[in-house]
Amino acid sequence: MVLIGMLLFLAGVRKTVILELNGQRSAVTTLALRVAGVLRQEGIELEPSDRLWPNDNQPVTDGGYIRLEQAARVTIWDGKRQVQIETPERRPANLLALAGLALYPGDQILLDGTPVHPAQILPRAASYRLRIRRAVRIELRAGDASQILYTTAATFGQALAETDLVL
């Protein structure tokens, strides 16, 4: 009778939840009562910069859903200044905002030397190295006409090649 009672009890507390870890979903069967217990069971350490929903103190229910986005280390070079942050955010424009850096017209963001769009979602990684290549203002004058260009080109010739101007 005791054995049957224990089996019925375990069947009642055993739950299957969906755990989404950094975009990857898996079904997890657990006896844990709280979200923190599920994470501990799966060997996942929660860091202060991670984004977790629901919070780790919430009860676990059968068919429940847990979502965790782990933070990455982000290093951003802006000229001679380097800023480091830890965040689960993956859009370059948002990363710059979190670091307190502005992006101006014509500026370019490089991920490991490759240009990326500010709104692009970066692929998952434990760390990112971003560099801001600041645009330079060039004013072209021909008689009374003038045109202002902002460019990240290394040379004046390259800057002109980026435009539709023909000399």
Side-chain angles (χ1 to χ4, degrees):
M1 190 66 88
V2 172
L3 182 60
I4 292 173
M6 287 179 63
L7 289 173
L8 289 173
F9 174 76
L10 287 176
V13 295
R14 184 177 173 178
K15 303 167 240 12
T16 300
V17 297
I18 301 299
L19 175 61
E20 182 180 325
L21 177 61
N22 298 325
Q24 299 294 319
R25 292 182 185 172
S26 62
V28 175
T29 302
T30 184
L31 298 175
L33 300 176
R34 306 233 173 257
V35 170
V38 174
L39 297 178
R40 195 171 28 257
Q41 170 188 318
E42 295 301 303
I44 301 168
E45 289 188 36
L46 192 61
E47 298 295 330
S49 298
D50 293 343
R51 191 179 296 153
L52 175 66
W53 183 88
N55 73 45
D56 60 343
N57 199 31
Q58 291 296 309
V60 176
T61 58
D62 191 41
Y65 185 83
I66 301 170
R67 181 176 169 197
L68 175 61
E69 293 178 48
Q70 294 176 307
R73 290 177 304 283
V74 181
T75 303
I76 304 170
W77 285 275
D78 182 19
K80 295 182 181 181
R81 186 169 69 150
Q82 178 178 309
V83 179
Q84 292 186 335
I85 58 174
E86 281 200 29
T87 178
E89 180 59 55
R90 294 181 17 234
R91 289 185 197 274
N94 295 348
L95 292 169
L96 296 184
L98 288 170
L101 299 169
L103 194 64
Y104 300 105
D107 288 351
Q108 189 176 49
I109 302 172
L110 304 171
L111 172 65
D112 293 325
T114 303
V116 293
H117 190 276
Q120 171 183 337
I121 296 177
L122 300 178
R124 290 247 175 242
S127 64
Y128 300 100
R129 292 177 298 173
L130 298 175
R131 184 174 143 230
I132 303 172
R133 185 182 293 163
R134 296 290 181 191
V136 176
R137 181 181 186 266
I138 299 174
E139 183 175 355
L140 301 174
R141 292 185 188 174
D144 291 337
S146 69
Q147 182 174 357
I148 296 175
L149 307 172
Y150 291 92
T151 182
T152 57
T155 67
F156 183 69
Q158 290 172 340
L160 284 178
E162 291 176 352
T163 70
D164 293 331
L165 297 175
V166 177
L167 298 180

